[in-house]
């Protein structure tokens, strides 16, 4: 099911399987996107799909991706169809049967047209959102992009109007005969993303204080 | 750069940016794939790219994906072009400038045609590989798929002949003037995937022993 509050379900956002896993609130979509570090963007190149990992950022109901103007994949035509998907793996679901093994996860799939961002203010706001998604606090702490860097960076916008969210939580869904048979363990192994100890750049003194936006950062 | 030991670089595997991040060994490709829990598969549907998270497994130089025959995305035409991408985020790279912020990561991008697996022995081997990728030990511990379950499952193979691997490691690459200016922290915040404490299925006694293949499992 697509986001019912933004647009009626279209063929590509209507889930064909496990409709009970669909989430229809815009807040759910925002939450899945906002918790991610990396998304996967799909493009069509020479008649074939290409899927590449990318950073991204969100401003209201628009997601932005960016890259060097020299990057092959960013030579997207203005208006070309793209798909941006963000997935969080939350657990591995062990069932009594191989068939019912699964994953607990949250995923957002955004379908849309890539719009090249040319307005300077929107471009700067997009770069800020992308930076803050990857590294909250960096926009204030680090040096902002200069004219040369802005010119070397292409930014594309994708509207969130056509998007779907799918979430699986909870224990395995084993068949009754397998439960009755017994003798096999079933359950969930939780999966989490954690941060390690910050590694200060070798060009700085090793005892350079780590700022709070890095040292105190916790996964979203 | 594509995998030079399997095939010459093609237009789509030749990296246009950061060629120093390319890895050309087949072993590197296998290692990135084998360490993953979820991949992102790209297809073309109605002229637009679709990117979906999926489990997968590898046997030698073939990767397999599977799903319910009722799943919309698995109605892939035999021979349709697909792209399977697996990404590991290893660290967040904080630079003195916003522009030089980056990620440490390993990613594998596999381009190919989806081949519907019809041979029963290959299909079973593929499902075993997919199961063992998600949950090592489960193929032995859990009940193997029966005829009905096999019939309800579609498996597609993608050859690893045309694939690329990209890896970024190490500290930020700041510009000299930013380093000289000083006053800003730079470094890497490591990112890791960890497993939590196994949660036994509520249909089992809460003190049911957790088997070693789950309880002792560590991230790849």
């Amino acid at each position: 099911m697509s986001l019912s509050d933004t647009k009626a379900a279209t063929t590509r956002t209507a889930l064909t399987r496990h409709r009970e896993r669909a989430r229809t609130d815009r807040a759910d979509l925002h939450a899945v996107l906002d918790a991610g570090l990396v998304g996967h963007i799909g493009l069509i190149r020479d008649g074939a799909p290409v899927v590449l990992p990318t950073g991204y950022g969100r401003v209201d109901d628009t997601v932005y991706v960016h890259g060097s103007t020299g990057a092959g994949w960013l030579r997207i035509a203005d208006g070309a169809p793209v798909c941006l998907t963000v997935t969080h793996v939350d657990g591995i679901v062990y069932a009594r049967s191989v068939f019912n093994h699964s994953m607990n996860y949250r995923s957002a799939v955004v379908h849309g047209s890539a719009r090249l961002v040319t307005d300077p203010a929107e471009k700067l706001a997009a770069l800020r959102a992308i930076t803050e998604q990857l590294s909250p606090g960096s926009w204030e702490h680090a040096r902002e992009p200069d004219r040369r860097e802005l010119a070397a960076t292409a930014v594309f916008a994708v509207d969130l109007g056509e998007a779907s969210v799918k979430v699986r939580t909870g224990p395995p869904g084993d068949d009754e005969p397998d439960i009755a048979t017994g003798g096999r363990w079933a359950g969930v192994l939780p999966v989490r993303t954690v941060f390690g100890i910050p590694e200060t750049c070798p060009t700085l003194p090793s005892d350079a204080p780590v700022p709070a936006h890095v040292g105190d950062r916790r996964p979203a």
Side-chain angles (χ1 to χ4, degrees), chain A:
Chain A
M1 187 78 73
S2 71
L3 295 172
S4 56
D5 59 342
T6 55
K7 185 177 281 197
T10 63
T11 304
R12 57 188 177 183
T13 61
L15 301 181
T16 52
R17 289 271 304 165
H18 290 298
R19 291 185 177 83
E20 79 284 0
R21 295 182 187 168
R23 296 290 181 278
T24 53
D25 279 353
R26 187 185 294 222
D28 291 320
L29 172 64
H30 291 178
V32 171
L33 293 173
D34 293 356
L37 292 172
V38 70
H40 283 82
I41 190 161
L43 329 157
I44 299 177
R45 201 161 56 192
D46 300 330
V50 179
V51 178
L52 296 170
T54 182
Y56 64 93
R58 180 180 72 83
V59 177
D60 299 330
D61 281 312
T62 304
V63 281
Y64 294 97
V65 297
H66 79 315
S68 162
T69 51
W73 73 272
L74 266 177
R75 292 176 202 139
I76 313 171
D78 198 12
V82 296
C83 182
L84 180 72
T85 299
V86 174
T87 305
H88 308 280
V89 177
D90 294 324
I92 298 161
V93 180
Y94 292 79
R96 276 89 163 177
S97 64
V98 160
F99 186 76
N100 282 314
H101 271 59
S102 188
M103 244 181 262
N104 284 338
Y105 64 95
R106 292 160 287 148
S107 71
V109 179
V110 180
H111 305 275
S113 298
R115 172 175 60 84
L116 182 66
V117 176
T118 53
D119 176 73
E122 184 184 10
K123 188 169 178 176
L124 206 64
L127 291 172
R128 181 182 183 129
I130 294 166
T131 301
E132 291 292 296
Q133 178 83 25
L134 176 71
S135 49
S138 276
W139 193 263
E140 292 302 323
H141 184 82
R143 176 178 62 72
E144 288 188 21
D146 61 25
R147 283 176 55 180
R148 180 186 58 81
E149 292 168 339
L150 285 172
T153 305
V155 174
F156 283 91
V158 185
D159 191 89
L160 291 183
E162 198 177 349
S164 60
V165 175
K166 216 168 164 184
V167 177
R168 190 200 188 281
T169 60
D174 269 309
D175 298 333
E176 281 303 329
D178 289 320
I179 296 175
T181 299
R184 293 187 167 101
W185 189 82
V188 174
L189 183 63
V191 177
R192 285 201 320 276
T193 297
V194 297
F195 297 135
I197 296 167
E199 299 165 354
T200 295
C201 184
T203 56
L204 284 171
S206 60
D207 61 350
V210 178
H213 71 279
V214 180
D216 296 343
R217 182 172 181 188
R218 298 292 173 265

